[in-house]
Amino acid sequence: LDAQHFEGLPIYSLCGQEKWARVVEIQGGGILVIVFKDRGLFTKRRFSLWGIHCPEAQPSLLSPSWDLERKAAQRTKHILETRLLHKVVRVRFTREDRFGRAMGRIFLEDGTDFNRWLCHNHFAVPCNHEDKCLSIADRIPRQIHDLKK
């Protein structure tokens, strides 16, 4: 088949869809690996929690609170593993990020919006739609403050 056969074909997107999925891996920094059924086939995708920023396991070496940020990242990853790993969740796909990961919101079986829960409990901070977050110093103030104790 040559290129002219593919002109005008729509691009398939998960945006706007909701699916039940199993979380099979937590990679940290708000990145998960999920498995879900799409068009009759099981699909495995890297998935980023949309609208929030979780602390990074490898923060900038220039950060004055490097060690505290790493500890905050470990605590957040532990929460993600405890609450999501090997669980079935409802995923609302929003878009893809610049790395090709699916992005969206996670809802627990009881209906809890997990993205909001992470922010409410100071494991993450909200971001706007352009992936612009607070400055490094303001990202996880409650967690970093708690770690200093």
Side-chain angles (χ1 to χ4, degrees), residues 23 31 39 42 55 57 104 137:
V23 179
I31 308 298
R39 298 178 288 172
F42 283 103

Side-chain angles (χ1 to χ4, degrees), residues 5 15 21 27 37 40 64 76 86 95 107 147:
H5 288 90
C15 294
Q27 295 184 340
K37 205 167 193 177
T76 299
H86 306 300
R95 60 180 249 191
F107 296 88
L147 289 170

Side-chain angles (χ1 to χ4, degrees), residues 1-125:
L1 295 173
D2 54 37
Q4 70 184 2
H5 288 90
F6 301 109
E7 286 182 30
L9 284 177
I11 296 173
Y12 180 72
S13 172
L14 291 166
C15 294
Q17 295 185 42
E18 287 191 18
K19 306 250 183 217
W20 287 99
R22 181 174 299 275
V23 179
V24 296
E25 184 181 345
I26 306 292
Q27 295 184 340
I31 308 298
L32 321 170
V33 178
I34 59 173
V35 173
F36 57 94
K37 205 167 193 177
D38 184 43
R39 298 178 288 172
L41 299 172
F42 283 103
T43 304
K44 183 176 177 180
R45 288 286 305 263
R46 289 182 75 212
F47 182 84
S48 180
L49 297 171
W50 180 79
I52 66 173
H53 173 80
C54 293
E56 302 288 335
Q58 298 295 324
S60 169
L61 292 173
L62 302 175
S63 173
S65 56
W66 182 84
D67 190 48
L68 294 174
E69 289 181 53
R70 286 199 52 179
K71 288 178 183 173
Q74 290 168 350
R75 288 176 72 184
T76 299
K77 185 174 181 183
H78 176 73
I79 287 295
L80 292 171
E81 289 171 343
T82 302
R83 299 287 308 267
L84 297 180
L85 189 58
H86 306 300
K87 304 271 188 337
V88 174
V89 296
R90 190 167 45 105
V91 178
R92 182 178 298 154
F93 294 96
T94 307
R95 60 180 249 191
E96 287 190 357
D97 69 9
R98 64 181 180 258
F99 304 109
R101 294 182 292 234
M103 296 180 77
R105 301 188 87 76
I106 297 278
F107 296 88
L108 304 179
E109 287 189 272
D110 67 3
T112 301
D113 181 334
F114 193 69
N115 298 42
R116 288 187 187 186
W117 184 91
L118 285 170
C119 291
H120 180 76
N121 290 284
H122 309 288
F123 291 101
V125 293

